[in-house]
């Protein structure tokens, strides 16, 4: 395998990664069902939310799902973080009872096989994601790119003595 760089297209990297089935759900999925799915698929950090045409319309991290459910069940646990009015206002959405993943999803964020490694890492880092949906040219989810698996592939592609190691 050629050394992986920031300019390496994902299409060249993905075949060497372990395949992780993406966690794809429709926006009307109840939060409780999403939590059950996440508990069964703990290797996935980010849900891909799709519409009726199976196109990516949003993402939802497991952390955001857990925070939303816990804020509903245990709101006083989130109050110590509210040290001023700005913090309370910016966190007000946590205290609204939500019913479906579509109500709490973030804007869609994804990569394609044509994107390069640097783009994928930057998108995940910007949103503090440990994984990101992979979509095709039609915006349909085709896979899941795991940050740690990508790091391991990069380390394996490095020649001895490169990348800061001995």
């Amino acid at each position: 395998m050629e050394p992986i760089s920031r300019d390496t297209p994902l299409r060249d990297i993905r075949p060497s990664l372990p395949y992780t089935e993406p966690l794809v759900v429709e926006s009307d999925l109840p939060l409780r069902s999403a939590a059950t799915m996440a508990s069964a698929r703990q290797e996935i950090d980010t849900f891909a939310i799709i519409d009726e045409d199976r196109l990516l319309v949003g993402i939802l991290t497991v952390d955001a799902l857990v925070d939303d459910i816990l804020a509903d069940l245990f709101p006083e646990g989130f109050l110590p973080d509210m040290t001023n009015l700005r913090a309370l206002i910016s966190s007000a959405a946590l205290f609204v009872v939500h019913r479906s993943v579509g109500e709490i999803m973030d804007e869609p964020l994804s990569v394609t096989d044509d994107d390069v490694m640097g783009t994928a890492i930057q998108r995940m880092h910007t949103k503090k994601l440990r994984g990101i949906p992979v979509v095709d040219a039609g915006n349909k989810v085709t896979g899941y790119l795991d940050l740690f698996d990508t790091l391991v592939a990069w380390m394996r592609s490095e020649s001895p003595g490169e990348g800061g190691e001995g």
Side-chain angles (χ1 to χ4, degrees):
M1 171 186 240
E2 290 288 318
I4 295 171
S5 75
R6 66 181 316 113
D7 298 320
T8 304
L10 294 178
R11 80 174 87 65
D12 294 348
I13 300 168
R14 286 187 59 215
S16 67
L17 300 176
Y19 180 73
T20 302
E21 183 74 31
L23 194 49
V24 180
V25 299
E26 292 186 2
S27 61
D28 61 352
L29 183 73
L31 295 182
R32 183 181 193 97
S33 298
T36 299
M37 292 174 76
S39 71
R41 301 279 313 281
Q42 293 184 22
E43 73 279 12
I44 301 286
D45 175 64
T46 308
F47 285 86
I49 315 298
I50 58 169
D51 64 11
E52 60 278 353
D53 295 323
R54 305 209 42 86
L55 302 179
L56 185 70
V57 295
I59 62 169
L60 177 63
T61 66
V62 172
D63 289 345
L65 172 68
V66 169
D67 278 354
D68 193 84
I69 292 171
L70 290 178
D72 184 30
L73 297 174
F74 184 59
E76 62 275 16
F78 288 81
L79 292 176
D81 294 336
M82 307 303 131
T83 56
N84 61 44
L85 183 58
R86 176 173 287 183
L88 183 61
I89 290 170
S90 67
S91 299
L94 280 175
F95 301 105
V96 175
V97 177
H98 299 109
R99 300 289 175 228
S100 70
V101 297
E103 294 176 69
I104 62 171
M105 71 182 183
D106 287 326
E107 293 294 318
L109 186 66
S110 62
V111 293
T112 70
D113 281 331
D114 291 330
D115 286 319
V116 295
M117 179 75 146
T119 299
I121 298 299
Q122 183 270 332
R123 286 184 187 158
M124 286 188 272
H125 179 73
T126 299
K127 293 290 186 174
K128 296 181 171 70
L129 301 175
R130 293 185 303 253
I132 191 169
V134 179
V135 298
D136 63 15
N139 205 35
K140 290 190 179 183
V141 179
T142 60
Y144 181 81
L145 184 67
D146 181 86
L147 184 62
F148 189 74
D149 288 344
T150 306
L151 173 66
V152 170
W154 170 76
M155 290 178 1
R156 288 182 180 154
S157 79
E158 288 290 300
S159 298
E162 291 184 30
E165 293 185 2

